[in-house]
Amino acid sequence: MVFRRQGLAILHTENSDISAPPPASARPSGAFQQTVSFVRRMIHGLRVPPEMSERLYLDQASDFSYTIIAIAMIGLSTLSLILLDFWGSSGAVLREILLLATSLCYVALMTQGLFWLRLASPTGQQAKAYIDTMVRLLVLLGVIWSALLFVLMQHRNLNQLCLLYGVFVGCLATPVMVAPVSCAIAFWLPISIGISIAGFSANVLEGVVMLNLVAFMGLTGFCILYLNSRMNERAIGAIRLEESSELVGLLLRDFEESASDWLWETDSALHIRRVSPRLADVVQRPVDEIRGPFPLALLSNLPQESQKPGSAVDRLQRMMADRSPFRDVIIPVIVSGEERYWSLTGKPVFDKQGRFAGYHGVGSDVTGPQRQQEQIIFLARHDSLTKLPNRVLFGEMLHQACENCATHSIALLCVDLDHFKVVNDTLGHATGDALLVAVSERMRGCIREFDSAARLGGDEFAVILVTGDVTEATAIAARIIDRVSRSYYFDGQLVQIGASVGISMAPADASGAAALLKNADLALYRAKLDGRGTWRLYDAEMDERLQSRRTLQNALRKAIVQGEMRVDYQPIVSLAQRRITGAEALARWQHPELGLLLPGDFITLAEECGLIGQIGEWVLRQACAAAVDWPDNIAVAVNLSALQFRDSGLVETITEALSVSGLSARRLELEITETAMLETTPQTLEALWRLHALGVRIALDDFGTGYSSLSYLRRFPFDKIKVDRSFIHDLSVETENSSIVIAIIGLAQRMNMGVTAEGVETAEQANLLSSYGCTQAQGYYFYQPMSLEHFAEILADDARLETSQGQIFPV
């Protein structure tokens, strides 16, 4: 076992402390010190760790048995030659007895060796006992050989002396081939002593010959010690390596049986070999079917994308072709119809000559972690609610599309949901989230598979269309608006929203992502200004209008401070008495360059830039301060924006304005549009009830436009309904508007509410409204909006309306 393990032992001792030469700095300088160090190292090599002695004896016993059988056969042949050569010489009786004894020793050694080789499973204890027995036999053999040589030297002739000298050399050289060292020394020591005695006692060998013989004895003794030292080192290294290999093998078997990972290896042709049951279980195929080049032999069915150049499988094959190590290469595979992921790690193996011998590696199923990682990556680039691409991924897609727009034109659609915030505030975020999911599904259904939709945040969406056809882009935009605007039902409740779309074309409008997105936003802004629920294409003038609008916003911020704002008043007339009963306060902006601007020119602008609250409060205070000087029966009406109702301090602001001015709360009338009511929240209703409790009158303005609902009238007891001017403009006996106005007036009467008709411009309209039962009216037929001073003069005159019927009073 020693000789068969030498290759492994050398591998082990190359890295061990025993065989590694000491560093150059630690080597002895003198020849004597080097010799001492060499002897110490040799003696150290002869030492066997106690825990390894039985294992070493067990390994050495078989090799020793083969060696000793060969030595015994040669020894018996030598004895035959001696018998023949000395036949007939004197001293025959003693010589023949010694020859027989020597032969019996050799036979005993052969018998012991053969017996040992026939043992099926010898133990370490048996090996030690066997070695001890052989040591005793070898000592006996050495002693008998010494006696035989002594006798032969006494009765030899000159020719026989040459034979004996050869026997001397052979006996001294024989133990050099023997291991363990105890067996070698057991024969070498007595035979060396015996040869020395025989040679000197015969007094026939010259001094030089004896000196040479003694030197040869020393050489053989040294060789016995040195060679056994080296063989011990290598044998011990081999044993340790074998134990380590057994431990590694045990761990690997336990690893494959209990862990989720599995081992694989290939030959030099990169063909899979040694397929373990664990590996066969992973690929879910019989062991004998797993043949062929790695990794394709394991991958019976690859996803389509894994077969393309540059895929993970392609990169793995190229690394293996280059004999490169690889680690944690993730490969998608199909196992039993299910897509899974494997992580493969491998290292090339080379033989002693440096030739490539194959790959060894480990694989593991990382489907769970890989899917979690994919989910993390997906959530980082997609909206968690709608699963649409988010702003990050959308930006990447838009940049890529713009880079290719010279050959593949695109259209960018910016989509904004109308009145979504109302749903979110009134029905809750859960309903709002469900609505966004439903909108995203409808939007997916409006585009083609090669188009892309994304949610940018809140109620903002974007769509990238692969088309350069404006007609096609507008058709898809119209389809999105139509489908998004259809009714939704959540928990049995009807929800209605709308959508506005801005469209920009690339490369026609812009070829850069930022510019294209800016243009689409401008088009969306225009769609909102034009009444929402529509789409608009970008044109170059939009940017100019936007710049003008921004300039106007900046001027509006300065208007209040610089005194450019004023309040005009349009009288409200009682149709029954034809007398002024109040006035509506209307904001005016005297722009230094553009002249007089009406509310329609700047109120929306004020809402956009956050100035509506400041302007609204200023108008309220001005109106209250003016009305306090009017007769007690004259009320003042002030419009409130929907955005003002979001101010939690609205009630306190109104209360303070009344307190500072001294105006009675019953003379203040607040006009609220239906749009504002659509965006009401529980907090808004609470504020209205608090104002109502103070005595402030509440009027529902622009009734009948857009989002009329009887639920508003049930939720809050309005004091008045104002009929929108769109119903009054074409009012006549036979028009459809007459029926609508009659219905509104009848509804108000049944709910004990007053009615004011806006936009009355003719006597016919005034007379019809009076006949329908309308209580109040305002419009150019009676009075235009006028300054505070002019309105005060009219009140002072206290003229009856019928004396000047048909007259239009100038501002």
Side-chain angles (χ1 to χ4, degrees):
M1 299 289 277
V2 173
F3 300 104
R4 283 179 289 170
R5 294 166 183 263
Q6 284 183 1
L8 292 174
I10 291 173
L11 291 175
H12 175 76
T13 55
E14 283 178 351
N15 295 319
S16 65
D17 294 336
I18 296 175
S19 60
S25 60
R27 295 175 186 172
S29 57
F32 176 75
Q33 290 179 334
Q34 291 181 2
T35 303
V36 171
S37 175
F38 177 78
V39 172
R40 285 178 178 174
R41 178 179 172 184
M42 184 173 64
I43 295 173
H44 178 75
L46 292 172
R47 294 174 183 171
V48 179
E51 70 277 5
M52 301 183 69
S53 60
E54 291 187 3
R55 176 66 185 275
L56 184 61
Y57 283 142
L58 188 61
D59 286 348
Q60 290 177 332
S62 296
D63 295 322
F64 171 73
S65 297
Y66 287 111
T67 305
I68 203 64
I69 290 172
I71 291 173
M73 293 176 66
I74 295 173
L76 290 173
S77 301
T78 303
L79 291 175
S80 300
L81 291 174
I82 292 173
L83 178 62
L84 292 174
D85 196 32
F86 280 85
W87 188 263
S89 300
S90 58
V93 175
L94 182 59
R95 182 176 66 246
E96 291 174 0
I97 292 173
L98 291 174
L99 284 171
L100 179 60
T102 307
S103 299
L104 291 176
C105 283
Y106 277 125
V107 171
L109 288 170
M110 289 179 65
T111 304
Q112 288 290 327
L114 291 171
F115 175 77
W116 177 261
L117 292 175
R118 291 174 181 175
L119 287 177
S121 300
T123 64
Q125 286 288 351
Q126 289 176 320
K128 189 175 186 305
Y130 169 67
I131 295 297
D132 291 342
T133 300
M134 299 300 273
V135 166
R136 288 192 287 270
L137 286 174
L138 287 169
V139 170
L140 179 60
L141 178 64
V143 171
I144 296 175
W145 258 114
S146 297
L148 177 61
L149 292 174
F150 180 81
V151 171
L152 293 175
M153 285 296 290
Q154 303 303 317
H155 306 281
R156 82 284 172 266
N157 57 37
L158 186 59
N159 293 330
Q160 292 170 338
L161 187 61
C162 293
L163 172 63
L164 291 177
Y165 192 80
V167 172
F168 287 172
V169 173
C171 287
L172 290 173
T174 295
V176 173
M177 299 180 291
V178 175
V181 68
S182 58
C183 292
I185 296 297
F187 179 75
W188 177 84
L189 186 59
I191 197 65
S192 297
I193 296 172
I195 288 173
S196 299
I197 295 173
F200 282 109
S201 65
N203 198 23
V204 294
L205 298 177
E206 297 181 2
V208 175
V209 175
M210 286 303 300
L211 182 61
N212 185 34
L213 194 59
V214 172
F216 186 71
M217 292 178 190
L219 176 61
T220 54
F222 169 78
C223 288
I224 290 170
L225 296 177
Y226 178 75
L227 293 177
N228 271 274
S229 171
R230 296 299 295 168
M231 285 190 290
N232 276 1
E233 289 177 1
R234 293 175 181 179
I236 291 171
I239 292 172
R240 287 174 174 167
L241 182 61
E242 184 177 344
E243 290 177 347
S244 299
S245 299
E246 290 175 355
L247 178 61
V248 170
L250 179 63
L251 292 175
L252 289 178
R253 284 193 299 273
D254 181 68
F255 169 81
E256 281 207 303
E257 291 173 1
S258 60
S260 60
D261 297 355
W262 35 272
L263 304 175
W264 59 270
E265 60 179 298
T266 73
D267 56 20
S268 58
L270 297 180
H271 282 217
I272 196 76
R273 67 178 182 182
R274 295 181 187 175
V275 179
S276 65
R278 171 62 184 160
L279 178 55
D281 181 62
V282 168
V283 299
Q284 297 186 13
R285 289 160 54 199
V287 173
D288 56 358
E289 291 185 10
I290 304 176
R291 295 288 184 272
F294 181 89
L296 299 180
L298 305 179
L299 311 177
S300 58
N301 191 8
L302 279 174
Q304 191 66 30
E305 60 272 12
S306 298
Q307 304 177 31
K308 298 178 180 178
S311 65
V313 174
D314 180 63
R315 287 187 286 108
L316 176 61
Q317 290 176 320
R318 283 191 279 107
M319 285 188 288
M320 295 184 71
D322 295 338
R323 308 296 186 253
S324 302
F326 52 89
R327 184 177 182 85
D328 295 332
V329 177
I330 306 298
I331 295 180
V333 297
I334 302 294
V335 179
S336 297
E338 178 187 4
E339 183 175 16
R340 303 192 68 81
Y341 294 91
W342 289 351
S343 173
L344 298 178
T345 298
K347 182 180 180 181
V349 179
F350 300 90
D351 60 18
K352 296 178 181 179
Q353 287 73 37
R355 294 173 300 191
F356 174 69
Y359 267 88
H360 289 181
V362 62
S364 60
D365 190 315
V366 293
T367 303
Q370 183 68 17
R371 286 177 178 167
Q372 291 178 356
Q373 183 67 21
E374 289 179 351
Q375 181 68 8
I376 292 173
I377 296 174
F378 179 86
L379 292 176
R381 297 160 62 83
H382 290 77
D383 177 51
S384 59
L385 181 63
T386 64
K387 303 302 183 289
L388 291 175
N390 60 13
R391 187 178 290 273
V392 174
L393 181 55
F394 167 76
E396 296 175 3
M397 294 189 300
L398 184 60
H399 276 87
Q400 185 176 3
C402 287
E403 289 176 358
N404 302 324
C405 69
T407 54
H408 298 86
S409 300
I410 63 169
L412 175 62
L413 277 59
C414 283
V415 184
D416 197 65
L417 303 184
D418 300 331
H419 313 297
F420 171 76
K421 189 178 186 307
V422 177
V423 176
N424 221 24
D425 293 342
T426 56
L427 301 181
H429 291 285
T431 302
D433 290 346
L435 180 59
L436 288 173
V437 172
V439 167
S440 66
E441 291 299 324
R442 292 187 182 184
M443 199 171 293
R444 283 191 184 99
C446 294
I447 61 177
R448 301 155 299 185
E449 61 179 7
F450 47 82
D451 298 326
S452 303
R455 182 188 176 204
L456 306 185
D459 58 353
E460 299 177 21
F461 293 82
V463 177
I464 300 175
L465 302 177
V466 184
T467 181
D469 187 350
V470 174
T471 303
E472 186 176 27
T474 55
I476 294 176
R479 188 188 311 153
I480 291 174
I481 294 172
D482 174 62
R483 294 191 184 179
V484 170
S485 301
R486 295 176 186 177
S487 301
Y488 302 83
Y489 292 89
F490 298 105
D491 296 328
Q493 189 161 3
L494 175 67
V495 177
Q496 192 78 40
I497 60 170
S500 301
V501 180
I503 308 171
S504 181
M505 309 295 294
D509 297 330
S511 57
L516 191 66
L517 185 59
K518 173 189 172 185
N519 294 344
D521 279 335
L522 288 174
L524 174 62
Y525 181 75
R526 185 64 190 180
K528 290 182 177 181
L529 288 181
D530 291 348
R532 301 175 183 269
T534 187
W535 56 264
R536 288 292 180 267
L537 276 168
Y538 169 79
D539 63 66
E541 294 181 358
M542 287 183 177
D543 196 20
E544 297 177 4
R545 288 194 294 268
L546 178 62
Q547 296 301 327
S548 300
R549 196 169 183 82
R550 287 176 178 171
T551 302
L552 198 60
Q553 281 182 347
N554 294 332
L556 183 59
R557 296 180 188 277
K558 304 175 184 177
I560 301 176
V561 178
Q562 296 179 353
E564 298 175 4
M565 302 293 296
R566 77 167 195 251
V567 179
D568 282 356
Y569 299 88
Q570 185 174 29
I572 300 173
V573 177
S574 169
L575 290 177
Q577 300 176 358
R578 298 299 174 104
R579 297 181 63 87
I580 297 175
T581 59
E584 180 179 1
L586 300 170
R588 297 288 188 266
W589 179 12
Q590 189 65 46
H591 193 280
E593 297 177 2
L594 302 178
L596 185 65
L597 299 180
L598 302 180
D601 298 322
F602 64 87
I603 290 299
T604 302
L605 197 66
E607 291 177 338
E608 292 176 358
C609 64
L611 292 176
I612 189 62
Q614 184 179 357
I615 294 176
E617 181 179 348
W618 180 81
V619 171
L620 175 67
R621 294 182 183 276
Q622 291 292 318
C624 290
V628 75
D629 296 327
W630 301 343
D632 290 343
N633 62 332
I634 304 299
V636 63
V638 179
N639 290 280
L640 290 182
S641 167
L643 294 179
Q644 288 180 268
F645 274 97
R646 300 178 187 175
D647 183 6
S648 58
L650 176 64
V651 176
E652 287 71 20
T653 299
I654 295 173
T655 304
E656 182 184 357
L658 292 172
S659 175
V660 170
S661 64
L663 182 68
S664 172
R666 63 180 179 79
R667 295 178 58 197
L668 176 63
E669 184 176 288
L670 300 178
E671 296 185 359
I672 305 169
T673 63
E674 284 192 284
T675 302
M677 288 304 300
L678 183 66
E679 300 180 4
T680 54
T681 62
Q683 293 76 14
T684 303
L685 289 176
E686 180 185 358
L688 289 174
W689 280 106
R690 289 173 61 188
L691 292 172
H692 186 74
L694 290 174
V696 177
R697 295 171 58 83
I698 309 296
L700 184 58
D701 197 9
D702 299 335
F703 187 82
T705 59
Y707 301 97
S708 297
S709 174
L710 296 179
S711 62
Y712 304 147
L713 304 181
R714 292 199 308 267
R715 291 164 66 187
F716 184 80
F718 290 95
D719 299 288
K720 180 192 291 186
I721 293 176
K722 297 192 72 174
V723 182
D724 188 70
R725 65 181 64 248
S726 61
F727 298 109
I728 307 300
H729 180 69
D730 296 326
L731 186 64
S732 66
V733 177
E734 298 180 354
T735 61
E736 183 180 348
N737 285 345
S738 296
S739 300
I740 296 175
V741 172
I742 292 173
I744 295 174
I745 294 172
L747 175 66
Q749 290 175 345
R750 289 178 177 82
M751 300 186 72
N752 295 321
M753 298 180 187
V755 179
T756 298
E758 297 180 300
V760 178
E761 296 181 356
T762 65
E764 180 185 7
Q765 293 170 351
N767 294 331
L768 283 174
L769 287 170
S770 180
S771 66
Y772 295 159
C774 182
T775 55
Q776 294 179 338
Q778 66 182 107
Y780 278 18
Y781 173 71
F782 303 110
Y783 297 97
Q784 293 184 12
M786 59 189 68
S787 65
L788 174 62
E789 293 77 13
H790 192 177
F791 183 63
E793 292 175 1
I794 292 176
L795 291 178
D797 293 342
D798 195 26
R800 291 184 61 83
L801 187 60
E802 58 265 19
T803 61
S804 58
Q805 188 171 357
Q807 179 180 354
I808 299 179
F809 294 90
V811 177

